[in-house]
Amino acid sequence: LSSATAYAWDSSQEVLRLKKEVPDIGTFGGSGSVIWLRGNESRLLNDGSMENFRSLVLMIGERVPEDWKELSFAVPEGGSLTIEDASWYSTMNGMKEGSLPQQEIKLDGGALVKKITVPETAVGRVVVIALREVRAKRLGLDTTVNMADSLPIWEQNVSVELPVGTELYWAGRDMKAPEKQKQGSTEKYSWQVMNQTPWNGGSFVINERPLVSFSTKKGGAEAIKLGDALAASLSGVSMPSAAKAKGKSGPAALIEYTCSPARTLTGVPARLVRSPLELPPEGPWTPWEQTLLLHNWLPKLGWHSQLLWDAKLALDEDSPASLSILRAPVLQLSGGGSKPS
């Protein structure tokens, strides 16, 4: 597939279409805002890299929901992330009325994050965000899409385009099998979910979120290997001197130091793991980085650390080999806590 074959997207046209199709906001059980449309379209390009186009059409009610006021997107290492639209539109005529503030932040170490802010001036209007991401070839086709969120979603579309003959492995929760359609030399897999109720999480339903995960590689064990490789990539990162000093008091002090609020990077995806060259030696680090660093540092205090992975779906030999299917790294610790080595 050629990268020149871009997804056709017209924000004004989509706003007008959805205005006619989406029921009145009052029919969604008292939700102040409603996601009219969320799209996630992936394609495998000729050079082996993956292009992912994501779209969001969000009807803002009387106020901007707290968890939608600031949206962060990490720029993939070796790839790109382009914000094609970040605006608010009139619900009457579909015309653009304003632009959402954007910010590109360079984290300590060099990694880039793009942030979009949804201001109160967008109240009563439709916010549209469209992103195009290209991931490096070595990352392959690896995507997990949550099919429910804190707001109701009227229409949600997920699709994957692959060269004919390329196998797609997928798994989902509360998802039907995708529709398949051949288009010349490509094959397209499509899922659509309509009128999805909100998902508010909570520890007792943490594994019940509707989702779909897919990859061109197969096997839950292979997904775990991807996570383990991520941990191994940080194995050469030295323990900072302050951490070593804390570590003399035992592993609990090292854990407390590494995971303290001052050394926790917020406002970016929790699963972001930067390369050793991009990792600031004294922090702050993302939750994933903190766990993987501790996995490499705790054995220097004489503790055995076993790396486990909490997955979004039960993994078996038929699961997609997706790094994105892993929810978070978990450490199982044992040992006597001898002096640092």
Side-chain angles (χ1 to χ4, degrees):
L1 297 175
S2 169
S3 58
T5 309
Y7 297 103
W9 175 262
D10 185 318
S11 295
S12 293
Q13 182 177 321
E14 288 296 328
V15 169
L16 290 174
R17 175 183 73 85
L18 291 161
K19 171 65 176 177
K20 296 177 183 177
E21 298 177 5
V22 182
D24 183 85
I25 198 169
T27 65
F28 289 94
S31 293
S33 300
V34 176
I35 298 173
W36 279 4
L37 171 69
R38 188 161 64 177
N40 190 305
E41 304 167 81
S42 299
R43 71 172 78 222
L44 199 60
L45 303 180
N46 287 333
D47 62 1
S49 60
M50 188 193 84
E51 183 182 76
N52 177 252
F53 179 77
R54 302 194 293 277
S55 53
L56 172 73
V57 181
L58 171 61
M59 176 67 211
I60 304 293
E62 295 179 356
R63 61 179 179 82
V64 179
E66 193 64 35
D67 54 344
W68 292 88
K69 289 183 176 180
E70 188 176 86
L71 306 174
S72 300
F73 308 93
V75 179
E77 184 184 359
S80 63
L81 179 72
T82 305
I83 299 175
E84 299 195 349
D85 194 5
S87 312
W88 68 80
Y89 289 77
S90 165
T91 59
M92 300 300 293
N93 55 24
M95 298 297 291
K96 178 178 175 178
E97 292 189 332
S99 297
L100 301 176
Q102 300 179 36
Q103 187 179 12
E104 183 172 281
I105 300 173
K106 188 173 184 179
L107 303 177
D108 290 343
L112 293 177
V113 172
K114 295 190 177 184
K115 289 190 177 183
I116 298 174
T117 302
V118 181
E120 290 299 325
T121 45
V123 164
R125 297 173 173 86
V126 179
V127 164
V128 177
I129 296 174
L131 310 170
R132 191 178 307 276
E133 178 182 4
V134 177
R135 302 179 194 170
K137 178 180 179 180
R138 61 182 175 79
L139 300 177
L141 185 66
D142 179 339
T143 300
T144 299
V145 183
N146 291 321
M147 303 298 288
D149 219 308
S150 59
L151 297 174
I153 307 173
W154 171 249
E155 178 183 336
Q156 189 163 201
N157 301 308
V158 177
S159 67
V160 192
E161 289 186 27
L162 301 166
V164 170
T166 303
E167 194 73 32
L168 182 72
Y169 302 99
W170 74 276
R173 178 182 295 113
D174 298 333
M175 295 294 293
K176 297 179 180 179
E179 293 186 4
K180 296 182 183 180
Q181 181 182 7
K182 285 189 177 180
Q183 301 172 325
S185 61
T186 68
E187 190 164 26
K188 184 176 183 179
Y189 297 74
S190 302
W191 292 266
Q192 184 178 68
V193 174
M194 299 295 295
N195 200 15
Q196 175 65 54
T197 56
W199 182 89
N200 294 313
S203 59
F204 63 96
V205 292
I206 195 167
N207 290 321
E208 302 305 320
R209 192 176 194 175
L211 59 85
V212 61
S213 180
F214 48 84
S215 172
T216 49
K217 299 176 183 178
K218 179 183 178 183
E222 294 302 312
I224 296 297
K225 285 181 181 178
L226 293 174
D228 290 346
L230 203 59
S233 72
L234 301 185
S235 61
V237 177
S238 300
M239 194 187 311
S241 56
K244 288 181 180 179
K246 289 287 184 181
K248 290 179 180 179
S249 301
L254 175 60
I255 294 171
E256 183 180 359
Y257 169 87
T258 305
C259 299
S260 67
R263 273 165 286 280
T264 300
L265 183 61
T266 59
V268 301
R271 61 184 301 119
L272 173 66
V273 177
R274 292 163 285 180
S275 70
L277 293 177
E278 293 180 328
L279 208 62
E282 302 283 344
W285 306 294
T286 68
W288 273 45
E289 290 170 342
Q290 289 170 332
T291 303
L292 299 181
L293 288 171
L294 285 169
H295 174 63
N296 292 312
W297 290 344
L298 284 167
K300 297 178 181 180
L301 302 180
W303 279 70
H304 173 70
S305 173
Q306 181 181 2
L307 179 61
L308 306 174
W309 290 94
D310 178 26
K312 298 176 181 179
L313 291 169
L315 300 180
D316 57 33
E317 60 183 13
D318 294 320
S319 298
S322 302
L323 180 64
S324 59
I325 205 173
L326 304 179
R327 189 193 313 279
V330 179
L331 300 185
Q332 181 174 304
L333 304 176
S334 60
S338 60
K339 292 182 180 180
S341 59

